Amino acid sequence: MPARTASSVARLEEAGYAVVGKTNLHEFAYGITSDNPHFGAVVNPLDPGRIPGGSSGGNGAALAAGLCDVALGTDSAGSIRLPAACCGIVGFKPTHGLVPADGVFPLAPSFDVAGPMGPSVHSCSAVMDRFGVEPASVESLEEVSAAVAWTEHADPRVRGCVEAAAALFPRRAQVELSLPGDLNPAFQAEAADVHRELFAEHADLYGENVRRKLERAFAVSDEDVAASRAERETYRERALEALDGFDVVVTPTMPMVAPPAGIGDLALRERMISLTRPANGLGWPALALPCGPAEDGLPASVQIMGRPGADGLVLAVGRALEAALGRGAA
């Protein structure tokens, strides 16, 4: 039981938001299915046979089911944006460090952020306003230059939806933005540091899924961690070079629609986070919003990323794209 309320939650309460309740999530926020061995599996309201994404899967499900107006999630490799994609809602990962992290149990601190989830970009923007971020002035997508990337990694109908959304930007171009090399060891080293003492005392209480991931994290070599951290630094340089001359990057959020339940986190993890994890490695703001029905009639999600600190611009571009897609601004 937490001894106090996290600063981010307290700030929203001070602004008039009321806490409806706590939602279920993947154990220790370390996974993408939200199948929690202690509290059960979160059900996706769009299709009970599909996962809701994770780790903030309870938020995504609650919003899709209309149980709350907004939610505050955490995102270390996509944990806000993946549930948004799976549940057909909007999720925003702010620039790293923008939303206070004190009072939030960490996963991998230099990757972790807290941010809003809601039915629309407008609802997420209203939350971020409480953290000093106001959307930039973007009246039309004609004002925005968009770099388009990674659509080739997506399933056919997801790719079609995202490319159709990207086509709404009159000033756009396909760019060569590589995916990062192996960021896992850097991430694992931080997760291992967070859990080392707790795991030593209570390993038997951890669920099998997270236990296996932490055991792998404890075994990562110093050499692999150093190489991973160096790759992260060079990737930041490469990504900024790719964005030169553009305002934002437009990509799929996930390569697929919400996968069927029962496949398991370990089998799904690497592909599901492949297009969301880069923003955590970079520390960039990233927005996920629905962009049309894809495989099996489930929603595809488009991701908008911007330079560090360009949160207001990313939100403004998201609102303009949302309007161009014909989605509501509730």
Side-chain angles (χ1 to χ4, degrees):
M1 296 291 290
R4 64 180 181 86
T5 298
S7 294
S8 54
V9 176
R11 191 176 299 185
L12 293 177
E13 288 181 315
E14 291 167 1
Y17 287 88
V19 175
V20 176
K22 293 171 70 175
T23 57
N24 195 5
L25 75 162
H26 207 99
E27 184 183 17
F28 284 111
Y30 200 174
I32 47 83
T33 63
S34 297
D35 188 351
N36 190 303
H38 310 288
F39 299 100
V42 178
V43 175
N44 188 332
L46 301 186
D47 183 340
R50 304 280 177 150
I51 66 168
S55 64
S56 302
N59 284 355
L63 285 159
L67 301 179
C68 56
D69 294 325
V70 294
L72 193 64
T74 58
D75 191 314
S76 305
S79 290
I80 285 171
R81 291 160 289 155
L82 297 176
C86 288
C87 296
I89 60 163
V90 176
F92 179 62
K93 183 203 93 64
T95 296
H96 184 267
L98 180 60
V99 176
D102 58 302
V104 179
F105 192 90
L107 173 56
S110 77
F111 293 83
D112 299 346
V113 297
M117 304 166 70
S120 67
V121 181
H122 174 80
S123 60
C124 291
S125 295
V127 171
M128 290 309 300
D129 182 61
R130 304 304 174 181
F131 297 101
V133 176
E134 295 184 8
S137 177
V138 175
E139 299 295 330
S140 165
L141 293 179
E142 294 180 358
E143 304 171 28
V144 182
S145 57
V148 183
W150 305 341
T151 58
E152 69 276 14
H153 297 292
D155 290 347
R157 293 186 180 179
V158 170
R159 178 175 184 169
C161 288
V162 173
E163 289 181 343
L168 295 171
F169 291 84
R171 297 164 55 204
R172 68 186 183 280
Q174 196 80 26
V175 298
E176 291 295 327
L177 173 58
S178 64
L179 292 171
D182 192 2
L183 300 183
N184 267 336
F187 187 99
Q188 290 170 308
E190 294 186 21
D193 287 343
V194 167
H195 284 271
R196 201 175 306 278
E197 293 183 10
L198 189 64
F199 191 86
E201 296 179 13
H202 302 289
D204 58 320
L205 297 180
Y206 282 73
E208 179 184 358
N209 174 259
V210 171
R211 184 190 302 118
R212 288 174 64 183
K213 281 184 281 197
L214 285 173
E215 287 171 347
R216 293 175 184 175
F218 295 137
V220 173
S221 70
D222 291 343
E223 292 79 9
D224 285 346
V225 172
S228 183
R229 288 173 175 164
E231 166 60 18
R232 187 180 185 185
E233 290 305 312
T234 59
Y235 186 62
R236 286 171 173 160
E237 296 174 8
R238 299 199 306 271
L240 284 173
E241 289 174 2
L243 190 53
D244 187 40
F246 296 95
D247 298 312
V248 295
V249 181
V250 177
T251 78
T253 303
M254 264 187 357
M256 72 284 265
V257 297
I263 297 174
D265 169 84
L266 294 175
L268 291 169
R269 179 175 177 80
E270 286 307 308
R271 188 168 188 236
M272 276 189 67
I273 69 173
S274 61
L275 308 183
T276 53
R277 176 168 49 190
N280 297 88
L282 295 166
W284 289 12
L287 177 75
L289 67 150
C291 60
E295 278 76 10
D296 301 314
L298 294 167
S301 178
V302 60
Q303 178 175 235
I304 302 169
M305 298 189 297
R307 295 175 180 81
D311 299 71
L313 175 63
V314 170
L315 288 166
V317 173
R319 290 182 69 168
L321 178 58
E322 189 173 55
L325 288 167
R327 300 188 71 248

